[in-house]
Amino acid sequence: MTSFQPSPVRRQRAHALVLSTGVAIAALTLPAVAFAQEASPATAEASAQTASESLTDDIVVNGRRQRSALNEEQAAIGTIDIVTAGDVAIHSQTGIADLAKQMPGISVSRDQGRNQSATGEAQFVTIRGFDTGYNAYTLDGLRLPQTAGSSRAISLNLFSPFAIGGIAADKTPGAAKDADSIAGIIDLRTPTAFDFAQSFTRARVLGQVAGLALDREQEAFGGAIGIDAARRFGTDDQFGVYLAGYFEERGNAAESTAVQSDYQTTNFDVGTARDNPNALSANGVQWNFYNNKIKRYGATGSLDFRSEAIELYGRVNYATYLNTNTMNQTGLRNETTSGQSSGNPLRTLRNGSTTRAYNAAGIYNPQGINPASYFRTEDVEQELFSAQVGAKTHWDGFFANLEGAYADGRFDQPTRIEAAFRGIAYNGATGNTGAATEGVNVDLSNRKSPRPVLSNGAIAYVSSLDRPTQLYVQSGYDYLNEVKKTAKASIGWDGDGFLGHVEVGGLYEDSDRKGRNLAPDNTRYRFLTPLQSGTVQGPSINQYLGYVLKDFLDYYPARPLKVLSRAQLDAQVRDYVPLIPVSATTINQGLLDGNEKRKALYATATLKLGALEVMPGVRYEDNGFRATYYLNDADGARFISAGRDYDHVDPSVLAAWKPNDRIVVRGAARSSYARPSFDLIAGPTRITRDPGRNNAIIAISQPNPDLKPVSAWSYDVGVDYYGGVGRYFQLAGYYKDLSNFVVNTATRTAGETIDGITYTRPINGGGGKAKGVEASGRFTVGDMVGSAFLGNFGVGGNVTYQQTEASYVIPLNGVRTTRTSALPQAPDLIYNAEVFYAGGAFRTNLWYNYTGKILAAVQDSQPDIYVQPVGELNFGAAYEVTDNLEIGVSARNLLDQHSYWATVGKSERYISNDRNGGYLKTGRVFQFSLTMKM
């Protein structure tokens, strides 16, 4: 088997960048006095501040940068929400996605297939709950390459609040910005020296402990350190440099429970499970325990020159995210094994197939109880390097902008290990042979905790970790690299009259993708067991080093759960997996080599009529891709080259009426689109095998290069009211109409069966609609009372309520229209509520985030998968010990609520199977921090 590791050149470049950044920060720290002598005097406001006040006003969320963000929102013609991200003192979230949840209408999701829900961190961010691929993601305006390995959604795992100064969600981007942004644009902003009132050097240190991991006697502690510095210099402070470096490492644990597989109808031959959503029975139970060891490190730097006529800038960013992720699973499977048969009668279904899953009364009654254990690693490595340079010049009202950028993103799962333990099932008969008399009846009365109903004999059998022995071990990998090169330019004119602004510009973007994957199933080494032949006897769970958990959720399984030694499984992979030959054909199935180009031209203007500003514009984008990948169909297996060109014209009109400095009324109408995910139009063929039929191929999933982009029209209106320092209210309504709908999160396919193999391809079809209302505000008591103490209290929050509708093309069912919670990842309700205090040397906040029910996956014969509502209560407090030192404490998920809860159907009645998440908890996180400014 071939393994693929990150390029040594890239690793050397990364380490050199981190090292050089640290050296540069140290160099800035030492000559601080010299810089202070050279720099011009600070403003009157800044000079009156203590160092501590400067710390909180310039760098921390409650002060000046928050007011600057609000000023930017107020001044914009479109609808923009901004949150600053650098306050680690009162926020225990060290992932950017979780901080973004504070903004109105922002929801988050994870890659459930790679155990990312178990990390306790969100991974993807989306606006108003639209599919994450409907966002455009940028870093300082630079479009980011793929670092998640699936759709066009960008994983934000990489980014740390130690290096990101703010997050902006542009919900109504005009013609000057990317048009492939149906939901909007998420822009991560790194600081520059010009963001701060004075030069500084700062160190932030924090320690964390994960409560659940500590309770389960797993690795629970972690911490982070970040150092950054800003300097302004030159005769007129026209030069600015900002540098930051950070390192974070932490451990956590998670636990979940789920049913084994798809639900079956409780009654015999009454149609599909989807046709009988209130009379279903579970088939087996699973319990999962997860360990994660997360590392996040990187560096960022900026160099700026600003004068009256010209601005020059350079930005460099490097970020790495590593997650060593393991899952230990124990389960009870409904199945009979060698030498056993079902005690149920043989029954014939209407479609001609037969089953023994139902008893004589026609009630679902599967036979056999197979105690099973399973181990899986989902280690993830993500890396991003980006660099951009640009210039802005302006003279006599005219201006010109030019920017070039390079970004290199990597997603890697270098080793995906799977190991299974299965043996002879318990069937209730003497010697566990012959006709079965027992099976796993699953009690679903506790909707968060499915529980098996077992006889004493079954409990005694399944509770022994001496059985069964190991069935197999296997190991695969995934690798994806994308290099994106971008050039942007614009020219225009600014005036004071009716025609206030005119701009034309263009973009050229070139992306190269290379990917490789090998499914673990292709390297399966089979041990000698009573169920199969082999040359080596597989060990039992008891023969592994490890730790048997003493507690688990609110119910300890009848079969104990043991956290196995990762080192022993790694050794198995080294010893046995190389013995399995992997053919060139199998390797070829996982290869991808593609190129995608996007070109854009736009024209926009701003018309001013008194207090009214109108910004009409039009944008033209031309897309093309070429790819080589392996295809397996009726004509045989071979490499093919595929490609397609398509374009899109997107007009837009944005308007804002500002009768005074307190009121802003906005409106927008715009066209936009979403490019099909690259893995849907060009990618490796995915093959499914049936281990019960000698590993025979039963299904092949292929890309579809002819997919059309999703198109949309969006309409927004809103009004803002600003009542003074710390007091504002914003209200908005929106409507979106989508066509050529493709469900990227659970792609529906058109299929045909050839020689017993089902071939599937993604297709376009149907449309979707969303309408919603959004409100946000903040109220500080301030000078409304005579008490200075009471005046420092405040409340804030936001709420988004929406209704969605979608039509799906389902090959088995035709067109299906859903009118509530209908768009994938789009919750019907999102809200945040906050109580805060900020006065003198002390500040604190209590923040609750809620995300309503969402559609996670569209299914054909089964009910759709939904994620039930989730809430999180967070607390933070910080105290200035001295002018240069602040301490902070914070706690995440104070109420110890679940992190994820997936169900089959909208109600809570049927918990999902484990691949869809089931019911999962990650526990509380506690943090202590020190912030020092020099």
Side-chain angles (χ1 to χ4, degrees):
M1 181 184 69
T2 305
S3 63
F4 297 89
Q5 298 296 333
S7 163
V9 174
R10 183 181 298 162
R11 286 202 180 277
Q12 291 172 4
R13 177 189 65 196
H15 297 318
L17 179 60
V18 175
L19 179 62
S20 63
T21 303
V23 172
I25 291 174
L28 283 171
T29 305
L30 294 175
V33 175
F35 269 109
Q37 292 174 343
E38 182 179 349
S40 61
T43 63
E45 179 184 3
S47 62
Q49 294 176 325
T50 66
S52 177
E53 290 169 336
S54 177
L55 176 74
T56 56
D57 279 358
D58 278 345
I59 302 169
V60 182
V61 68
N62 295 74
R64 176 183 329 219
R65 292 188 67 184
Q66 182 65 31
R67 294 199 296 271
S68 298
L70 191 62
N71 290 340
E72 182 179 344
E73 293 179 17
Q74 183 178 5
I77 294 180
T79 301
I80 300 176
D81 292 306
I82 304 169
V83 62
T84 52
D87 188 4
V88 298
I90 62 173
H91 289 299
S92 58
Q93 293 86 355
T94 54
I96 287 297
D98 285 300
L99 289 169
K101 291 190 298 186
Q102 299 175 76
M103 291 188 288
I106 298 298
S107 59
V108 299
S109 61
R110 297 102 173 151
D111 185 346
Q112 183 61 38
R114 292 187 170 93
N115 295 343
Q116 292 303 298
S117 290
T119 65
E121 292 184 345
Q123 186 178 7
F124 302 106
V125 168
T126 191
I127 299 171
R128 292 166 176 163
F130 281 86
D131 190 283
T132 51
Y134 291 176
N135 300 308
Y137 300 84
T138 58
L139 177 66
D140 295 322
L142 166 67
R143 197 65 176 265
L144 288 169
Q146 181 62 57
T147 56
S150 54
S151 72
R152 293 189 186 275
I154 300 297
S155 171
L156 302 186
N157 285 339
L158 285 149
F159 301 102
S160 167
F162 289 102
I164 300 297
I167 310 165
D170 190 342
K171 298 174 179 177
T172 59
K177 298 183 179 180
D178 292 324
D180 59 329
S181 53
I182 290 175
I185 297 175
I186 300 290
D187 185 39
L188 307 179
R189 299 176 175 181
T190 59
T192 74
F194 290 92
D195 292 330
F196 307 99
Q198 53 187 286
S199 298
F200 72 91
T201 300
R202 172 180 54 167
R204 290 171 285 179
V205 181
L206 61 87
Q208 280 192 352
V209 59
L212 177 61
L214 191 65
D215 290 343
R216 302 296 184 259
E217 301 183 35
Q218 304 295 300
E219 188 168 355
F221 295 94
I225 182 170
I227 303 175
D228 63 342
R231 295 290 183 268
R232 298 267 295 277
F233 55 97
T235 56
D236 296 313
D237 274 356
Q238 68 270 40
F239 292 96
V241 60
Y242 175 84
L243 293 169
Y246 62 90
F247 178 87
E248 176 186 358
E249 185 171 11
R250 68 179 185 86
N252 90 299
E255 49 195 18
S256 72
T257 186
V259 296
Q260 171 66 39
S261 56
D262 285 344
Y263 281 86
Q264 305 297 315
T265 59
T266 300
N267 299 302
F268 173 69
D269 204 16
V270 291
T272 67
R274 187 177 185 88
D275 297 330
N276 297 270
N278 297 315
L280 302 178
S281 295
N283 183 13
V285 188
Q286 290 181 357
W287 300 271
N288 303 305
F289 188 79
Y290 305 87
N291 287 97
N292 294 280
K293 184 65 174 292
I294 293 172
K295 290 184 182 180
R296 193 184 275 113
Y297 58 87
T300 184
S302 65
L303 177 63
D304 294 81
F305 171 81
R306 298 185 182 183
S307 67
E308 291 186 3
I310 191 170
E311 296 180 17
L312 304 174
Y313 61 89
R315 309 275 185 268
V316 177
N317 288 280
Y318 173 77
T320 289
Y321 171 87
L322 307 173
N323 178 19
T324 303
N325 177 302
T326 61
M327 182 187 80
N328 285 271
Q329 179 186 100
T330 192
L332 300 177
R333 302 167 64 100
N334 275 316
E335 59 188 12
T336 54
T337 53
S338 178
Q340 301 174 347
S341 61
S342 173
N344 291 326
L346 181 65
R347 289 176 168 269
T348 302
L349 297 166
R350 280 175 286 182
N351 62 11
S353 62
T354 59
T355 179
R356 290 186 182 272
Y358 294 83
N359 63 20
I363 303 300
Y364 185 69
N365 183 41
Q367 299 289 286
I369 306 170
N370 198 342
S373 293
Y374 177 68
F375 176 93
R376 183 175 77 231
T377 69
E378 294 284 359
D379 297 352
V380 169
E381 298 181 6
Q382 296 170 242
E383 186 180 35
L384 174 70
F385 172 81
S386 67
Q388 56 192 130
V389 294
K392 301 178 181 179
T393 183
H394 35 88
W395 69 99
D396 293 333
F398 292 94
F399 65 86
N401 302 322
L402 181 64
E403 181 180 62
Y406 172 91
D408 188 345
R410 174 179 66 91
F411 172 87
D412 193 3
Q413 286 193 277
T415 306
R416 296 173 55 199
I417 300 172
E418 296 179 9
F421 300 76
R422 297 245 294 284
I424 299 297
Y426 178 87
N427 74 346
T430 302
N432 290 315
T433 60
T437 61
E438 294 186 38
V440 183
N441 293 315
V442 182
D443 180 1
L444 297 172
S445 58
N446 186 326
R447 299 184 175 188
K448 300 177 181 179
S449 181
R451 301 178 183 184
V453 179
L454 303 172
S455 67
N456 290 334
I459 292 174
Y461 187 87
V462 303
S463 63
S464 172
L465 294 182
D466 288 320
R467 66 171 75 92
T469 57
Q470 189 168 353
L471 188 70
Y472 65 78
V473 66
Q474 57 194 35
S475 177
Y477 59 79
D478 278 290
Y479 172 79
L480 175 67
N481 172 242
E482 181 175 14
V483 175
K484 191 181 292 286
K485 292 160 281 188
T486 308
K488 297 193 290 187
S490 64
I491 58 173
W493 177 79
D494 287 316
D496 297 325
F498 171 73
L499 187 60
H501 177 88
V502 178
E503 181 178 341
V504 296
L507 169 144
Y508 178 82
E509 182 181 274
D510 186 291
S511 300
D512 287 310
R513 285 178 175 235
K514 295 186 185 298
R516 309 168 191 243
N517 73 57
L518 179 68
D521 288 356
N522 292 311
T523 68
R524 179 170 295 180
Y525 177 85
R526 299 176 182 272
F527 291 97
L528 174 62
T529 75
L531 300 178
Q532 65 186 17
S533 60
T535 57
V536 177
Q537 174 68 55
S540 69
I541 292 290
N542 253 347
Q543 291 172 314
Y544 267 87
L545 296 174
Y547 174 80
V548 178
L549 295 176
K550 296 180 177 65
D551 296 292
F552 186 85
L553 285 173
D554 63 337
Y555 169 77
Y556 193 80
R559 178 169 174 77
L561 224 173
K562 186 173 183 178
V563 179
L564 303 185
S565 165
R566 172 74 182 260
Q568 281 186 257
L569 286 148
D570 287 339
Q572 273 194 355
V573 170
R574 291 193 299 269
D575 292 341
Y576 298 120
V577 169
L579 302 178
I580 304 302
V582 180
S583 67
T585 298
T586 301
I587 293 291
N588 289 339
Q589 290 168 359
L591 296 179
L592 166 69
D593 189 348
N595 175 268
E596 189 172 33
K597 291 182 172 62
R598 183 168 64 105
K599 293 164 278 188
L601 293 173
Y602 70 89
T604 185
T606 301
L607 310 178
K608 297 181 179 180
L609 186 59
L612 177 66
E613 293 181 78
V614 180
M615 182 187 290
V618 63
R619 187 178 183 94
Y620 170 79
E621 293 198 359
D622 178 73
N623 293 273
F625 75 90
R626 302 291 181 270
T628 300
Y629 56 93
Y630 203 73
L631 185 67
N632 192 334
D633 59 17
D635 295 327
R638 75 263 185 220
F639 278 106
I640 69 165
S641 294
R644 183 162 173 253
D645 297 304
Y646 58 93
D647 56 12
H648 219 263
V649 177
D650 294 291
S652 61
V653 177
L654 281 61
W657 179 56
K658 303 174 183 178
N660 52 51
D661 59 0
R662 291 181 178 267
I663 296 176
V664 181
V665 180
R666 293 186 178 85
R670 66 185 186 96
S671 170
S672 58
Y673 73 106
R675 292 179 286 175
S677 298
F678 200 86
D679 60 337
L680 298 183
I681 57 178
T685 296
R686 295 172 178 84
I687 295 178
T688 303
R689 297 177 182 271
D690 183 357
R693 288 172 46 199
N694 212 15
N695 228 27
I697 295 175
I698 57 175
I700 296 177
S701 177
Q702 302 168 341
N704 181 4
D706 295 323
L707 277 179
K708 299 176 183 176
V710 182
S711 297
W713 274 96
S714 302
Y715 307 92
D716 293 74
V717 295
V719 59
D720 298 354
Y721 175 78
Y722 302 89
V725 175
R727 303 184 197 113
Y728 66 88
F729 178 75
Q730 301 167 326
L731 179 67
Y734 58 91
Y735 177 82
K736 292 183 184 290
D737 190 350
L738 295 80
S739 58
N740 293 329
F741 198 60
V742 177
V743 187
N744 291 346
T745 53
T747 307
R748 304 318 306 157
T749 59
E752 60 177 341
T753 300
I754 302 174
D755 296 331
I757 300 174
T758 301
Y759 293 84
T760 61
R761 286 159 58 96
I763 58 175
N764 289 104
K769 294 180 174 62
K771 55 185 176 182
V773 62
E774 203 163 71
S776 63
R778 193 172 179 88
F779 178 83
T780 303
V781 176
D783 56 5
M784 297 182 69
V785 299
S787 167
F789 175 76
L790 293 176
N792 290 316
F793 279 100
V795 296
N798 53 70
V799 59
T800 300
Y801 174 75
Q802 67 181 356
Q803 294 180 336
T804 59
E805 176 182 323
S807 296
Y808 302 102
V809 176
I810 309 295
L812 292 181
N813 311 101
V815 177
R816 179 196 303 164
T817 299
T818 306
R819 290 186 170 82
T820 56
S821 300
L823 291 173
Q825 304 301 325
D828 50 4
L829 179 64
I830 309 169
Y831 69 80
N832 291 279
E834 180 186 16
V835 179
F836 61 88
Y837 175 88
F842 180 73
R843 58 197 177 91
T844 184
N845 74 343
L846 189 66
W847 163 42
Y848 186 78
N849 172 264
Y850 174 90
T851 302
K853 184 185 306 175
I854 66 172
L855 172 64
V858 178
Q859 304 199 101
D860 41 31
S861 59
Q862 287 277 317
D864 296 337
I865 302 296
Y866 285 83
V867 176
Q868 295 297 320
V870 59
E872 184 178 88
L873 180 65
N874 306 305
F875 168 78
Y879 179 74
E880 297 174 7
V881 180
T882 71
D883 287 346
N884 295 315
L885 175 65
E886 183 180 61
I887 62 173
V889 293
S890 59
R892 181 176 184 179
N893 194 18
L894 276 172
L895 301 180
D896 196 23
Q897 293 182 270
H898 64 269
S899 301
Y900 195 85
W901 181 13
T903 59
V904 175
K906 290 182 181 180
S907 77
E908 299 175 357
R909 183 170 183 174
Y910 298 113
I911 192 171
S912 76
N913 59 28
D914 76 310
R915 271 298 183 176
N916 285 304
Y919 180 82
L920 181 143
K921 294 184 72 171
T922 56
R924 302 178 180 93
V925 176
F926 303 94
Q927 179 177 289
F928 174 80
S929 67
L930 295 174
T931 301
M932 297 160 283
K933 185 176 180 184
M934 297 159 277

